[in-house]
């Protein structure tokens, strides 16, 4: 067993340029991303980065939570996982304070192996997953939700 410390993780700027994610684990396959585990903080309203072909699941672990708004509204409450496709245009809204959130991202080949893709409508719950329960990178150094 290997103990990992903060210095072992890779801080990465968000694709939208408004913050920093700490990537804790990344698995690549021949066609690109298979799996990624990261953490970040949402500290202000703003757009989430677009990741085509990636299934994202985030869970607020501390802080008040926030809404994700686009063609639909997803509520990100503490300890309630929220799933959504990475190519869905969403923006954090109603941010009242920092919300720390780990995130699990699954690439297109791995996504078919488990979990369901979140889509609007149907019998999906408020967090984008069937039944309404859920099942998504370091500390923020810049601004915006990532």
């Amino acid at each position: 067993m290997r103990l990992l410390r903060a210095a072992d993780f890779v801080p990465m700027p968000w694709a939208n340029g408004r913050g920093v994610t700490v990537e804790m684990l990344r698995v690549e396959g021949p066609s690109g991303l298979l799996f990624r585990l990261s953490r970040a903080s949402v500290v202000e309203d703003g757009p989430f980065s677009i990741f085509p072909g990636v299934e994202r699941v985030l869970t607020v672990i501390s802080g008040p939570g926030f809404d994700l708004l686009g063609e639909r509204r997803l509520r990100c409450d503490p300890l309630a996982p929220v799933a959504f496709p990475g190519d869905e245009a969403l923006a954090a809204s109603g941010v009242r304070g920092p919300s720390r959130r780990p995130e699990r991202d699954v690439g297109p080949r791995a996504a078919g192996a488990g979990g369901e893709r979140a889509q609007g409508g149907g019998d999906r719950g408020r967090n984008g997953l069937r039944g309404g329960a859920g099942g998504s990178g370091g500390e923020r150094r810049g601004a915006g939700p990532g």
Side-chain angles (χ1 to χ4, degrees):
M1 180 183 289
R2 180 175 169 221
L3 175 65
L4 298 174
R5 302 186 188 285
D8 296 317
F9 300 132
V10 179
M12 305 173 66
W14 286 343
N16 69 14
R18 299 183 61 161
V20 175
T21 287
V22 171
E23 190 168 85
M24 298 180 293
L25 174 67
R26 183 181 193 94
V27 178
E28 294 278 342
S31 301
L33 177 70
L34 291 177
F35 181 84
R36 181 177 93 136
L37 182 63
S38 59
R39 62 184 168 95
S41 292
V42 175
V43 301
E44 66 180 20
D45 290 356
F48 262 50
S49 300
I50 299 289
F51 296 108
V54 173
E55 299 298 320
R56 299 175 73 175
V57 178
L58 68 83
T59 305
V60 173
I61 58 171
S62 69
F66 53 92
D67 290 320
L68 287 176
L69 300 178
E71 291 186 19
R72 63 186 172 143
R73 175 184 173 266
L74 297 170
R75 178 68 196 157
C76 300
D77 286 317
L79 305 180
V82 178
F84 55 96
D87 56 2
E88 184 174 355
L90 294 168
S93 178
V95 177
R96 297 183 321 262
S99 292
R100 292 187 62 207
R101 59 162 183 89
E103 181 169 327
R104 178 211 36 129
D105 300 329
V106 178
R109 297 220 184 261
E116 296 183 52
R117 182 179 177 121
Q119 297 180 1
D123 62 346
R124 304 284 175 175
R126 67 186 173 91
N127 293 332
L129 295 174
R130 291 194 184 276
S136 202
E139 295 304 317
R140 171 226 171 272
R141 293 194 180 113

